[in-house]
Amino acid sequence: MQNKKVLFMTQAAVIAALYIVLTLIANALGLANYAIQLRFSEALTILPYYTAAAVPGLYVGCLLANILTGCAPWDIVFGSLATLIGAVGTYLIGRTKKRFPAARWLCPIPPIVANMIIVPQVLMRVYGFEGTLGYFTATVGAGEVLSCYVLGIILLHALEKRKGILPDADSMQ
């Protein structure tokens, strides 16, 4: 039992570190903030499909990445909350994969939707960006589809070939 806890915490920490590094790279390239956000780290949001450790890993990674990239306090709170909500949704989809094998195609949807609902509000209310809610929903959605769906599904397919790397999400309970 102790080994499972250590494995869980180690996986969560590695996922958080990967999220931070990938966000810092996207930020250095000018892709991680503003209306269209292409965060390479958002591809990792498919990981809760495989392991529950990805839920706290993604949340902490996003929280720390937002702090390190100089986001406003409310952005740190609500942006990280969007990632947490998306991660929990992906984890729940992962729990259905034995009964519904096509679920892997749905796992990027929760983080996309969570970010499309929360991040436009942050852009308008916290940063005061000029534009409509529809505009920001579309631009955030476009960035999330590229990050979570396109890059995430590529990562998912790469991991499918190596199923034994991450324990099944259900085995970590």
Side-chain angles (χ1 to χ4, degrees), residues 15-126:
I15 291 167
L18 282 170
Y19 191 99
I20 293 165
V21 169
L22 291 171
T23 299
L24 291 175
I25 291 169
N27 194 59
L29 297 172
L31 302 172
N33 296 306
Y34 308 110
I36 297 181
Q37 300 179 8
L38 182 60
R39 283 188 170 191
F40 307 128
S41 51
E42 287 289 294
L44 301 176
T45 60
I46 60 93
L47 293 178
Y49 179 77
Y50 294 105
T51 177
V55 174
L58 291 169
Y59 174 69
V60 170
C62 182
L63 183 76
L64 293 173
N66 285 347
I67 291 169
L68 292 171
T69 57
C71 292
W74 287 114
D75 188 4
I76 294 167
V77 171
F78 288 106
S80 302
L81 180 63
T83 297
L84 178 62
I85 292 167
V88 169
T90 300
Y91 169 75
L92 294 173
I93 290 170
R95 292 182 53 122
T96 69
K97 68 183 166 210
K98 289 181 180 148
R99 293 185 314 260
F100 182 53
R104 70 177 164 266
W105 295 103
L106 301 176
C107 67
I109 305 268
I112 292 170
V113 171
N115 280 284
M116 285 177 67
I117 292 170
I118 295 171
V119 174
Q121 297 292 334
V122 170
L123 295 175
M124 293 173 68
R125 297 174 194 275
V126 174

